[in-house]
Structure formats: structure tokens, C-alpha cells
Amino acid sequence: FYHNELQRALSEQGLAIQSFSITSSSSLQAAASVTLQEGDIITIQLTSQGYKSPRADRVFETIEELLQSVSSLYTQTKESLLMRALEKLQSSG
């Protein structure tokens, strides 16, 4: 479960992260190495408690919350993608 869920959550981040790879998984947790937009590489772990990283000081319910807390470019990229999507909707409507 944890491997598939972490894979799905990170895959959905698209252009807001550079890359990721699952580095370990078991019946109790999964971990991934994630390259942020800044070029920093962090480890993200998913357990029954939620998402956590050594770079963050708490456990998060969503991958988005964790990424926002460790990467200012993540938030900027997500906002930019949202604005582009809204502009497309307005121009086609």
C-alpha cells in the first residue's frame, strides 16, 4: 500500500518537482528520494502517521503540505500552473 500511495502522490506533482524515485518500501512504510525545483534532494517517508521528511519538523497529512514547507519554488510553480490553467479556461469560454 505505502509504495503505491507514495508513487501516486509524487507522480501527481508533475512539474512542481524535478524527479523522484522510491528508495524503500515495506508493509509499514515507503520512502523516496525527491529532487526539488531548487535542485535539493530530500527524503520523504510515508507511514501510517502521514508524510514526513528530515527537512520538516512535523508529520503532514498530504504530500502537498510537506512540499510547501520545504520548497518555496514548489509553491511558486503550483501557483503558476494554476494561473495558466485558469487563463486557458477564460480564453476558451
Side-chain angles (χ1 to χ4, degrees):
F1 168 79
Y2 293 105
H3 179 277
N4 291 340
E5 184 61 22
L6 186 57
Q7 176 88 31
R8 183 200 58 75
L10 289 168
S11 295
E12 290 177 355
Q13 298 313 306
L15 301 175
I17 60 175
Q18 284 188 24
S19 63
F20 73 92
S21 64
I22 305 296
T23 56
S24 69
S25 66
S26 71
S27 61
L28 300 175
Q29 65 86 34
S33 176
V34 178
T35 304
L36 303 173
Q37 286 294 328
E38 293 89 344
D40 298 342
I41 299 172
I42 66 167
T43 298
I44 294 177
Q45 186 178 32
L46 174 60
T47 69
S48 61
Q49 296 176 326
Y51 295 91
K52 57 186 175 179
S53 173
R55 284 239 330 235
D57 58 353
R58 65 184 185 93
V59 176
F60 297 87
E61 285 188 32
T62 68
I63 193 77
E64 292 86 357
E65 290 174 321
L66 187 151
L67 290 169
Q68 286 173 0
S69 79
V70 297
S71 171
S72 60
L73 285 180
Y74 173 83
T75 302
Q76 291 174 12
T77 302
K78 291 295 270 192
E79 287 174 358
S80 176
L81 292 170
L82 178 61
M83 291 305 293
R84 275 193 243 142
L86 289 173
E87 288 168 4
K88 277 185 183 178
L89 285 175
Q90 288 176 341
S91 66
S92 67

